[in-house]
C-alpha cells in the first residue's frame, strides 16, 4: 500500500529527472527503432543486474532493499514490497539511460514493461520451465534469490535475463527446498521497524567507528560487516518482547483499519487527476499513518492512541476540503475538542478494548 502511495510522488519526478539528464548531458541522440528497443532492453537488464547486486553487497543500498526480502512467505505480494528509497536507488542507476541518449518517453515506456515481468517470478506455484531456464529469470531462479539457505545467498540477481548471473558467477540452480526471508527474521509487524532497522544498525556502527576508514566501511562495506549486536541492542530498546495474545477486538480493529486504508488508497489512485495537491497530500498522509498504525497495533504499542487521534484529525480535514461548509467546519471543531476534554476516559476505554489493559 505504501509503495502504491509513494508512486504518486516518484513517478513524475523520475521522468523529469531523466528528461533533465537527457536535455543537458546526453552523449548520443538515440531514436526509437526496433534495434534501439532491443538495445534499451539489454542495457536496462544489465544495469538492473548490477543495481541488484550492489543492493545486496553494499550497506547503503542494502538498507533500502532489505524490505523486499523480509517476508517469510514468497508470493506475488512480495514483488510489491518496494520502498520509495529503493525506487530512488533504482532511478540513480537507470540515469545511465538518458545519459547514453535514450529519450525519456522511451525510457518511461520500457521501464513500465520491464517492471511487469518480475511480478510473475515471485511465486511458488510454478515449477521449472525447461529450456526457458537457460535464458530468462524464472520463478525457480527467483525463489533461490529470496531464500536464506546458505548455498542460495547472494545468487540470481537478474530481472528478466538469467544470462548475467551465468556470465558473472552468481547463478545457482534451485535444488534444495528454499527457506524464505532474512537469515535473522525480523519477528516484528512494525512498518517503521521493517523500513528503518538496518539504517539504525548502520547509525550505531557509524557512531562506534573510530576513524573515517571505518565510517566509510559502514556505508559502503558488506552487510555482513555490521556487528549483529547492534540489531540486538535496537530490538531490546524498540521492540515489545512481552506482547500478549492478539485478542478478537484487536483483530477486528486491524481488519477494519486495513479495509478502510485499501478503500482510501483505491479512491486516491482512481481520482488522482481530479484532486487538488492538498487533498492528495492529506489522503496519502492518512494512508501512510494508517499503515503504521496497523503494524503498531499488532506490536501492541501504546502510542497508537495518538496515531489514531491524528487519523481522526486528518479525516475531518479531508471531509472539510471536499465539503467546505461552515456547519461542517463547526461540527468538526467540536468533534476534535471532545477527545481532548475527555482524554483520560477515552484513552482508558481505548486500551481496554484493544489490549484488555490500561
Amino acid at each position: 500500500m505504501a509503495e502504491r502511495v509513494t508512486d504518486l510522488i516518484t513517478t513524475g519526478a523520475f521522468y523529469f529527472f531523466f528528461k533533465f539528464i537527457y536535455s543537458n548531458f546526453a552523449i548520443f541522440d538515440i531514436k526509437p527503432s526496433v534495434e534501439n528497443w532491443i538495445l534499451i532492453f539489454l542495457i536496462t537488464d544489465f544495469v538492473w543486474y548490477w543495481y541488484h547486486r550492489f543492493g545486496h553487497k553494499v550497506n547503503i543500498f542494502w538498507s533500502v532493499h532489505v524490505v523486499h526480502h523480509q517476508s517469510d512467505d514468497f508470493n506475488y505480494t512480495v514483488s510489491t514490497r518496494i520502498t520509495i528509497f529503493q525506487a530512488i536507488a533504482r532511478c540513480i542507476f537507470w540515469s545511465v539511460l538518458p545519459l547514453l541518449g535514450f529519450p525519456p518517453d522511451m525510457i518511461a515506456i520500457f521501464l513500465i514493461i520491464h517492471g511487469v515481468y518480475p511480478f510473475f517470478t515471485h511465486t511458488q506455484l510454478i515449477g521449472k520451465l525447461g529450456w526457458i531456464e537457460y535464458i530468462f529469470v524464472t520463478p525457480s531462479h527467483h525463489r533461490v534469490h529470496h531464500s536464506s539457505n546458505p548455498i542460495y545467498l547472494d545468487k540470481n540477481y537478474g530481472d528478466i535475463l538469467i544470462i548475467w548471473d551465468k556470465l558473472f558467477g552468481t547463478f545457482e540452480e534451485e535444488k534444495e527446498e528454499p527457506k524464505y526471508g532474512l537469515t535473522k527474521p525480523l519477528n516484528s509487524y512494525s512498518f517503521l521497524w521493517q523500513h528503518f532497522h538496518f539504517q539504525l544498525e548502520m547509525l550505531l556502527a557509524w557512531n562506534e567507528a573510530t576513524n573515517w576508514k571505518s565510517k566509510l566501511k559502514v556505508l559502503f562495506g558488506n552487510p555482513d560487516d555490521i556487528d549483529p549486536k547492534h540489531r540486538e541492542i535496537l530490538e531490546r530498546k524498540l521492540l515489545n518482547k512481552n506482547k500478549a495474545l492478539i485478542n478478537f477486538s484487536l483483530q477486528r480493529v486491524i481488519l477494519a483499519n486495513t479495509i478502510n486504508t485499501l478503500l482510501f488508497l483505491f479512491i486516491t489512485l482512481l481520482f488522482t487527476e481530479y484532486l487538488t495537491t492538498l487533498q492528495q497530500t492529506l489522503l496519502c498522509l492518512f494512508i501512510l499513518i494508517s499503515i503504521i498504525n496497523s503494524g503498531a497495533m499488532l506490536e501492541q504499542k501504546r502510542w497508537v492512541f495518538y496515531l489514531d487521534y491524528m487519523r481522526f484529525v486528518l479525516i475531518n480535514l479531508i471531509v472539510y476540503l471536499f465539503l467546505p461548509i461552515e456547519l461542517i467546519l463547526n461540527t468538526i471543531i467540536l468533534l476534535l475538542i471532545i477527545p481532548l476534554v475527555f482524554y483520560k476516559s477515552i484513552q482508558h476505554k481505548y486500551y481496554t478494548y484493544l489490549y484488555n489493559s490500561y
Side-chain angles (χ1 to χ4, degrees):
M1 287 189 278
E3 190 266 344
R4 292 291 91 195
V5 167
T6 52
D7 265 1
L8 288 174
I9 304 165
T10 58
T11 305
F14 293 162
Y15 176 85
F16 288 110
F17 177 62
F18 293 149
K19 188 173 182 180
F20 174 78
I21 295 173
Y22 176 76
S23 302
N24 295 280
F25 305 106
I27 300 170
F28 306 106
D29 183 20
I30 300 172
K31 304 295 184 187
S33 66
V34 174
E35 297 84 359
N36 287 336
W37 279 109
I38 295 171
L39 184 62
I40 195 174
F41 164 62
L42 292 172
I43 293 174
T44 301
D45 211 58
F46 178 73
V47 170
W48 171 277
Y49 170 85
W50 286 105
Y51 146 74
H52 203 178
R53 189 165 176 175
F54 272 60
H56 282 255
K57 305 301 285 185
V58 180
N59 286 330
I60 195 168
F61 293 115
W62 175 242
S63 72
V64 300
H65 184 56
V66 64
V67 177
H68 186 63
H69 283 268
Q70 290 166 350
S71 176
D72 296 329
D73 298 310
F74 187 69
N75 52 47
Y76 291 130
T77 66
V78 175
S79 68
T80 62
R81 290 178 66 92
I82 308 297
T83 71
I84 186 171
F85 308 110
Q86 184 174 339
I88 291 169
R90 286 181 183 179
C91 182
I92 292 169
F93 276 82
W94 275 330
S95 62
V96 71
L97 297 172
L99 184 63
L100 287 172
F102 289 100
D105 289 346
M106 192 175 178
I107 296 169
I109 292 168
F110 187 75
L111 290 184
I112 291 170
I113 297 168
H114 194 270
V116 170
Y117 182 87
F119 175 85
F120 296 100
T121 62
H122 291 79
T123 180
Q124 300 177 57
L125 299 176
I126 299 172
K128 296 196 175 183
L129 297 174
W131 65 268
I132 295 174
E133 304 272 330
Y134 295 105
I135 304 169
F136 297 101
V137 174
T138 65
S140 175
H141 296 328
H142 210 58
R143 286 194 290 270
V144 166
H145 177 70
H146 272 265
S147 302
S148 57
N149 309 43
I151 65 164
Y152 291 157
L153 293 176
D154 300 325
K155 300 295 183 182
N156 298 359
Y157 295 114
D159 197 42
I160 294 181
L161 298 175
I162 200 63
I163 57 174
W164 312 120
D165 287 286
K166 295 184 176 182
L167 281 172
F168 297 113
T170 53
F171 175 72
E172 185 66 44
E173 185 181 355
E174 183 183 24
K175 293 174 183 175
E176 62 182 56
E177 184 71 21
K179 181 182 177 183
Y180 302 106
L182 303 179
T183 52
K184 186 180 186 302
L186 282 190
N187 296 321
S188 171
Y189 294 106
S190 169
F191 177 86
L192 296 176
W193 178 250
Q194 289 164 0
H195 277 69
F196 301 113
H197 76 90
F198 194 74
Q199 287 95 326
L200 292 173
E201 290 173 50
M202 289 173 62
L203 181 61
L204 291 185
W206 174 278
N207 290 335
E208 194 177 79
T210 55
N211 54 61
W212 277 104
K213 183 179 178 182
S214 300
K215 288 182 183 294
L216 288 173
K217 190 176 180 182
V218 171
L219 293 177
F220 303 107
N222 191 291
D224 292 338
D225 296 331
I226 300 293
D227 194 325
K229 74 176 183 182
H230 298 312
R231 172 92 166 265
E232 293 168 7
I233 291 168
L234 290 165
E235 285 177 339
R236 285 197 299 270
K237 286 185 176 181
L238 301 176
L239 295 187
N240 182 5
K241 292 297 183 182
N242 301 307
K243 296 189 290 285
L245 291 173
I246 297 174
N247 61 54
F248 180 70
S249 298
L250 183 56
Q251 289 181 41
R252 191 163 52 187
V253 170
I254 292 169
L255 178 61
N257 191 32
T258 304
I259 292 170
N260 288 334
T261 307
L262 281 168
L263 182 61
F264 271 88
L265 176 63
F266 178 76
I267 291 169
T268 303
L269 294 176
L270 187 63
F271 297 106
T272 296
E273 61 184 290
Y274 304 107
L275 301 174
T276 67
T277 302
L278 183 57
Q279 287 171 337
Q280 283 187 43
T281 302
L282 291 181
L283 282 165
C284 290
L285 191 58
F286 176 82
I287 292 165
L288 288 173
I289 291 176
S290 297
I291 296 167
I292 294 169
N293 204 41
S294 286
M297 281 181 179
L298 283 165
E299 290 293 306
Q300 301 183 33
K301 298 292 186 183
R302 311 296 284 186
W303 44 264
V304 293
F305 177 77
Y306 306 102
L307 277 188
D308 258 340
Y309 182 72
M310 287 175 62
R311 292 170 68 237
F312 184 60
V313 171
L314 282 170
I315 200 66
N316 278 283
L317 287 174
I318 290 166
V319 168
Y320 180 68
L321 285 177
F322 283 97
L323 297 168
I325 302 168
E326 187 176 350
L327 177 62
I328 289 178
L329 177 61
N330 293 333
T331 305
I332 288 171
I333 292 170
L334 180 62
L335 288 173
L336 294 179
I337 289 174
I338 289 172
L340 298 177
V341 174
F342 300 99
Y343 166 77
K344 279 291 180 185
S345 173
I346 293 173
Q347 188 184 53
H348 175 80
K349 288 182 172 137
Y350 181 91
Y351 288 137
T352 302
Y353 182 76
L354 279 188
Y355 306 142
N356 288 330
S357 68
Y358 182 70

